[in-house]
Amino acid sequence: MGIRAILSSHLPNGQFGRHSLCLAAVGREHKKLPTLYFDIYRFSKQFPPLLLSIFGLSASDLCSFSFLFNLSLKIMKLDTSGLESAASLFGASSELFDGFATAPSFELPVTNDFDGFQKEAIQMVKPAKGTTTLAFIFKEGVMVAADSRASMGGYISSQSVKKIIEINPYMLGTMAGGAADCQFWHRNLGIKCRLHELANKRRISVTGASKLLANILYSYRGMGLSVGTMIAGWDETGPGLYYVDSEGGRLKGTRFSVGSGSPYAYGVLDSGYRYDLSIEEAAELARRAIYHATFRDGASGGVASVYYVGPNGWKKLSGDDVGELHYKYYPVMPSTVEQEMVEVSGA
Amino acid sequence: MARYDRAITVFSPDGHLFQVEYALEAVRKGNAAVGVRGTDVVVLGVEKKSTAKLQDARSVRKIVSLDDHIALVCAGLKADARVLVNRARIECQSHRLTVEDPVTVEYITRYIAGLQQKYTQSGGVRPFGLSTLIVGFDPYTGVPSLYQTDPSGAFSAWKANATGRNSNSMREFLEKNYKETSGQETVKLAIRALLEVVESGGKNIEIAVMTKEHGLRQLEEAEIDAIVAEIEAEKAAAEAAKKAPPKET
């Protein structure tokens, strides 16, 4: 990780100006923040002519600015363009003088132990991706399915969560991980997709939309976001399916399942999958896979929703309660009564 | 009036931005450039002022490519052109990186025009003194396009256009003689338009042809000379045909 330290400096004739001194330190140097001040001091001691010519100051002046450090220390540049409701397409005005838009950023709390701070932040959110979602591409388009249970540890907080998020009429996203994170960033992605459409007079591709989301999530990497989502849609090149997660990973594929119930869903999905399924067969496969996952995984349950994405956009096909699905697949058979034991009369 | 032409950000009482208009003057002093859009090909042509004997002609390329499928020619200040082209090239690659798609001609034109406009609305900077002609093919639909931008940041699509020195006469010629063409016919139309204002000959004209399959191709001097010769022959034949009928009557 690199650090950028921006110092405020006095000009020799007493005016207050600002100079940037970019120290790119390779490695996890940010742990050693307190010693960084001394590093600058030592550095300036070694190369006084260099720094004097830059700042016109003495080395001791430079060290005293360590107190001004915390006013303008920026550890990481986060991509907060997602938080603006109307992100300018040409970037901030600082783009006037260089070719790259500087990402808007905010200051992070200064601590001695940034790693620990990060760990605590993540622990607080505790990514518990208790859910089952799946999506697969087949001949007719993309099938997307999910359960609807939200759990907080052992407590089921809701049985009716909408885990398939409608980004726009031809693109769907699934929710796994932090519900707030998924909902917010999907909605934000919807904004960006719409802006792209308006600016370029054509729809954004699934590739592009998933790339936008992945870039945003990457810039928040390590900050405790918990998102494991699949972006499914239909664009000019046909059906598209991407898996994007909060680690910043992005995978293109034809079959994905995400969540705590995914191993069970994969088992059913992989054994029943064929590329040339019809829409009804594919929907039934998806439904069955979700059902089996909810049967075995405690953190999945509620309603199995199935959506289909075709050339004209997405369409919700069904939403069945998994309890009812259970009795549909395994109807109650009247069991044969065991022959009752007849009391043997005394011999 | 003189008071209103110093700062770029100040309007004059009758609604002019003088610096922008002066930038257009700089464009009018630049090399003549022409662009013609055909059905399957787009052609860019530019006047080549004779290079000094010791100058390496290859280092003076006026028609540049922004990406595999987009090319640009500009009239005006060459140094400004270099900066603008570099920024546009970065944007082309940046777009490929963020949405995994090549840019459309309209997108990159909008970007370049936006950049030119930004410099008309800031303090301490002057506008770019150049107009550009941008050609290319849409990466998916394969439709060819030609766009023009100017120092004010306005842009529009054209079937054929000219900029730089004597652009008015070239545009008039194009308006009179434009028709939907393809392949070699489009090249000939572009050269004929240029020959209106430029001394005839392959060493005074630079032509580049862009097709969907092969991208941008600069024509050799010999090829240009051959086409110029063809055009001259056609013109002579037309002249002769005009003179012949009166004799018959």
Side-chain angles (χ1 to χ4, degrees), chain A:
Chain A
M1 257 191 236
I3 309 174
R4 285 189 211 106
I6 299 175
L7 300 176
S8 300
S9 68
H10 282 282
L11 290 173
N13 57 5
Q15 284 175 326
F16 200 78
R18 261 193 212 168
H19 292 276
S20 319
L21 176 67
C22 288
L23 301 172
V26 179
R28 299 186 76 79
E29 292 286 324
H30 55 271
K31 266 189 228 168
K32 305 182 196 139
L33 277 172
T35 63
L36 192 59
Y37 311 141
F38 298 105
D39 285 340
I40 294 176
Y41 180 77
R42 277 189 289 124
F43 175 76
S44 61
K45 278 274 186 226
Q46 280 170 2
F47 305 101
L50 176 68
L51 278 176
L52 280 176
S53 64
I54 294 172
F55 294 104
L57 313 153
S58 68
S60 56
D61 276 349
L62 206 54
C63 191
S64 70
F65 295 141
S66 59
F67 297 105
L68 295 168
F69 228 112
N70 53 4
L71 291 179
S72 46
L73 176 67
K74 294 182 168 76
I75 297 174
M76 277 179 252
K77 295 267 183 191
L78 292 178
D79 172 25
T80 50
S81 64
L83 294 170
E84 295 160 19
S85 56
S88 153
L89 286 169
F90 293 126
S93 64
S94 63
E95 204 186 69
L96 204 57
F97 297 111
D98 53 51
F100 298 94
T102 50
S105 56
F106 58 85
E107 285 166 25
L108 293 164
V110 177
T111 61
N112 289 332
D113 175 22
F114 193 72
D115 270 347
F117 166 71
Q118 275 191 359
K119 268 206 201 84
E120 276 177 46
I122 293 171
Q123 286 295 92
M124 214 173 70
V125 182
K126 197 69 177 110
K129 298 194 182 146
T131 187
T132 311
T133 59
L134 62 88
F136 58 90
I137 293 183
F138 66 111
K139 185 181 59 163
E140 307 278 350
V142 196
M143 200 57 77
V144 184
D147 74 316
S148 69
R149 175 174 293 184
S151 46
M152 283 166 21
Y155 172 69
I156 297 176
S157 43
S158 169
Q159 289 273 64
S160 51
V161 176
K162 270 188 66 157
K163 294 194 187 176
I164 298 184
I165 298 161
E166 296 141 11
I167 298 169
N168 60 40
Y170 53 96
M171 226 185 294
L172 292 174
T174 60
M175 181 200 298
D181 291 336
C182 289
Q183 274 177 0
F184 178 84
W185 288 111
H186 278 127
R187 217 169 139 73
N188 182 270
L189 180 64
I191 293 173
K192 287 196 161 168
C193 290
R194 179 68 183 141
L195 285 175
H196 179 102
E197 232 177 85
L198 288 170
N200 295 288
K201 298 192 207 99
R202 77 204 300 173
R203 285 181 182 167
I204 193 171
S205 58
V206 183
T207 314
S210 60
K211 197 80 183 258
L212 286 177
L213 183 63
N215 286 340
I216 293 171
L217 292 178
Y218 182 77
S219 68
Y220 284 94
R221 195 175 133 87
M223 307 261 80
L225 280 186
S226 165
V227 172
T229 182
M230 296 178 284
I231 306 291
W234 188 289
D235 60 26
E236 281 169 357
T237 59
L241 178 61
Y242 286 83
Y243 165 74
V244 179
D245 70 17
S246 47
E247 305 303 301
R250 172 174 167 268
L251 298 171
K252 182 176 158 88
T254 46
R255 296 205 294 272
F256 284 115
S257 176
V258 181
S260 55
S262 62
Y264 312 110
Y266 268 132
V268 174
L269 178 59
D270 288 339
S271 65
Y273 176 81
R274 273 183 356 258
Y275 180 72
D276 52 358
L277 292 165
S278 70
I279 297 179
E280 289 78 31
E281 288 173 335
E284 184 52 30
L285 178 64
R287 200 174 302 124
R288 229 163 24 91
I290 295 284
Y291 157 74
H292 281 282
T294 60
F295 187 66
R296 288 293 175 181
D297 177 35
S300 306
V303 168
S305 329
V306 179
Y307 281 67
Y308 163 68
V309 189
N312 302 320
W314 58 259
K315 184 164 159 353
K316 178 161 183 178
L317 293 182
S318 67
D320 302 294
D321 184 287
V322 295
E324 282 166 31
L325 278 181
H326 173 81
Y327 291 111
K328 192 175 100 170
Y329 293 135
Y330 303 106
V332 177
M333 291 291 184
S335 52
T336 51
V337 177
E338 284 172 16
Q339 194 147 38
E340 284 182 16
M341 298 246 280
V342 179
E343 204 169 272
V344 176
S345 44

